[in-house]
């Protein structure tokens, strides 16, 4: 896949049409089979390996959210209940260890690197609170959303407060490069949300629009957090780029699979209603691929599935097409690219766990 250099345009937009067409006609036999590559027994469970560095993660986050108002504190702590897998902080600490070992064989995670993991989870959670307000969502992780319980206005303020607490924690690291890298994430989150609110009339531009939105809303946080801990642990710019590219590719693959699960999982597995994207008027990867077989979907995309029956018909079209399969193939390609990047680092249990993680991203069911 094409590399993203700094803040340049994502995935070389002019080439995306040919990539889209090639991927649409990719057969199962030609698809990258990451699972065969990384299923070897030598790989450790990333979550077990990262657990020691994430001990008391949520307690430490709550210390960053100390406020005098009981209601605001309760709202801010609502999603930090320890039920999540801490997927993003886990990647961050594994990347920190992998980069430290690569540079000088240091087997310790620096306090500043762990702080990045904490900040990453705070930024992610703040974005969830804001997303739920924008989407008028009523469930998240199997329970009611903040906006459902406390109302939209207070939910927005809670998300803002979590972001401000993350910014203070970021400032305490005392490294201007790290501040620059992680504040880019916040800018990308806002730009990604604006991209999601819009749509492209030109069918050939829609996939580029979708992938750019996916990068900014999901992958930028993982990519830049990985880059931040690599900067703190190793002075080599090549290592910083490896960390960034790994995070970018894993992040995009993660969201692609999330978009697939919106069509293939039941609500109990996901912890939120399925077909949620269609109900929000969003055309994700499976829908865009399905358009090649069912052009009538294009009109639904332009009206954001707003007419009665649009959501149900679009979902049926997707399930009758190879849209889900092609989106899975695309996620496999991104994971393959992530594996290729991280394999450039010196061998270590943490590096191998990051390789194993690419398979876990592809095979998750929620």
């Amino acid at each position: 896949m094409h590399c993203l250099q700094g803040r340049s345009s994502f995935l070389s937009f002019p080439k995306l049409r040919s990539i889209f067409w090639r991927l649409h006609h990719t057969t199962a036999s030609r698809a990258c089979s990451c699972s065969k590559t990384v299923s070897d027994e030598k790989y450790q469970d990333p979550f077990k390996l990262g657990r020691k560095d994430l001990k008391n993660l949520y307690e430490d986050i709550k210390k960053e959210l100390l406020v005098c108002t009981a209601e605001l504190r309760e709202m801010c702590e609502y999603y930090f209940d320890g039920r999540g897998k801490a997927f993003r902080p886990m990647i961050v600490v594994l990347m920190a260890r992998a980069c430290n070992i690569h540079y000088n064989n240091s087997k310790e995670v620096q306090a500043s690197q762990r702080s990045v993991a904490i900040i990453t989870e705070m930024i992610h959670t703040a974005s969830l609170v804001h997303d739920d307000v924008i989407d008028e969502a009523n469930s998240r992780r199997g329970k009611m959303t903040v906006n459902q319980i406390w109302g939209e206005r207070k939910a927005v303020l809670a998300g803002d407060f979590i972001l401000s607490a993350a910014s203070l924690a970021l400032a305490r690291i005392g490294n201007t490069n790290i501040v620059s890298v992680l504040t880019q994430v916040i800018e990308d989150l806002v730009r990604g949300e604006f991209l999601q609110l819009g749509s492209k009339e030109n069918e050939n531009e829609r996939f580029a629009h979708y992938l750019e939105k996916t990068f900014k809303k999901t992958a930028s946080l993982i990519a830049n957090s990985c880059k931040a801990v690599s900067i703190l642990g190793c002075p080599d710019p090549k290592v910083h780029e490896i960390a960034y590219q790994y995070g970018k590719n894993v992040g995009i693959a993660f969201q692609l699979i999330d978009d697939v699960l919106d069509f293939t999982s039941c609500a109990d597995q996901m912890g939120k209603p399925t077909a949620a994207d269609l109900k929000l008027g969003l055309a994700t990867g499976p829908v865009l691929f399905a358009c090649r077989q069912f052009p009538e979907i294009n009109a639904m995309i332009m009206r954001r599935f707003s007419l009665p029956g649009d959501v149900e018909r679009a979902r049926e079209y997707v399930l009758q097409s190879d849209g889900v399969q092609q989106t899975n193939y695309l996620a496999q390609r991104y994971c393959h690219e992530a594996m290729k990047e991280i394999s450039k680092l010196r061998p270590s249990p943490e590096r191998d766990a990051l390789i194993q993680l690419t398979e876990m991203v592809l095979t998750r069911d929620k």
Side-chain angles (χ1 to χ4, degrees), residues 77-81 125 129 132 140-141 143-146:
E77 293 180 356
Y78 186 67
Y79 288 143
F80 298 117
D81 56 8
T125 302
V129 175
D132 287 343
R140 165 80 63 181
R141 295 174 180 171
K143 62 182 186 179
M144 291 177 68
T145 55
V146 171

Side-chain angles (χ1 to χ4, degrees), residues 179-214:
V179 171
S180 178
V181 167
L182 289 181
T183 51
Q184 177 65 48
V185 172
I186 300 173
E187 177 184 329
D188 284 343
L189 283 169
V190 175
R191 290 182 181 274
E193 198 62 56
F194 268 90
L195 284 169
Q196 183 164 290
L197 292 172
S199 59
K200 291 289 183 181
E201 289 189 28
N202 187 322
E203 295 169 26
N204 295 318
E205 293 178 2
R206 281 194 196 132
F207 214 85
H209 183 92
Y210 164 66
L211 286 177
E212 186 185 13
K213 182 268 295 182
T214 297

Side-chain angles (χ1 to χ4, degrees), residues 253-259 261 270 359-366:
F254 185 93
Q255 186 58 50
L256 288 170
I257 296 300
D258 207 59
D259 293 343
L261 291 174
M270 291 294 285
E359 179 180 13
M360 297 174 73
V361 165
L362 292 173
T363 57
R364 71 191 182 95
D365 60 2
K366 60 181 179 179

Side-chain angles (χ1 to χ4, degrees), residues 92-199:
V92 171
V93 295
L94 289 177
M95 182 62 74
R97 283 187 175 274
C99 291
N100 295 353
I101 291 170
H102 176 83
Y103 175 55
N104 61 5
N105 209 29
S106 171
K107 294 183 170 60
E108 296 301 318
V109 170
Q110 300 171 23
S112 58
Q113 289 175 316
R114 189 174 182 278
S115 291
V116 171
I118 289 172
I119 292 163
T120 298
E121 186 68 358
M122 293 175 74
I123 293 174
H124 170 60
T125 302
S127 73
L128 296 184
V129 175
H130 285 154
D131 280 356
D132 287 343
V133 172
I134 292 169
D135 299 342
E136 298 180 348
N138 55 28
S139 65
R140 165 80 63 181
R141 295 174 180 171
K143 62 182 186 179
M144 291 177 68
T145 55
V146 171
N147 48 291
Q148 277 289 107
I149 298 172
W150 287 281
E152 291 186 357
R153 292 182 180 182
K154 288 182 178 179
V156 170
L157 295 174
D160 290 347
F161 187 83
I162 296 169
L163 269 182
S164 69
S167 299
L168 288 172
L170 177 58
R172 285 202 303 274
I173 293 175
N175 184 311
T176 55
N177 284 341
I178 303 305
V179 171
S180 178
V181 167
L182 289 181
T183 51
Q184 177 65 48
V185 172
I186 300 173
E187 177 184 329
D188 284 343
L189 283 169
V190 175
R191 290 182 181 274
E193 198 62 56
F194 268 90
L195 284 169
Q196 183 164 290
L197 292 172
S199 59

Side-chain angles (χ1 to χ4, degrees), residues 302-315:
M302 287 314 299
R303 59 178 180 258
R304 299 181 74 88
F305 312 102
S306 59
L307 293 183
D310 275 358
V311 169
E312 292 74 21
R313 280 196 298 141
R315 188 171 188 276

Side-chain angles (χ1 to χ4, degrees), residues 297-359:
I297 298 175
N298 285 307
M300 297 186 210
I301 291 173
M302 287 314 299
R303 59 178 180 258
R304 299 181 74 88
F305 312 102
S306 59
L307 293 183
D310 275 358
V311 169
E312 292 74 21
R313 280 196 298 141
R315 188 171 188 276
E316 282 303 310
Y317 283 140
V318 169
L319 295 178
Q320 289 172 32
S321 75
D322 65 354
V324 164
Q325 185 183 40
Q326 291 292 349
T327 307
N328 274 319
Y329 290 165
L330 183 56
Q332 288 173 6
R333 287 187 172 218
Y334 276 106
C335 280
H336 180 72
E337 186 67 20
M339 287 171 54
K340 190 173 80 172
E341 289 294 329
I342 201 66
S343 296
K344 295 174 184 176
L345 296 185
R346 180 188 296 183
S348 67
E350 286 77 13
R351 185 204 71 166
D352 292 344
L354 288 167
I355 293 173
Q356 173 71 8
L357 187 72
T358 63
E359 179 180 13

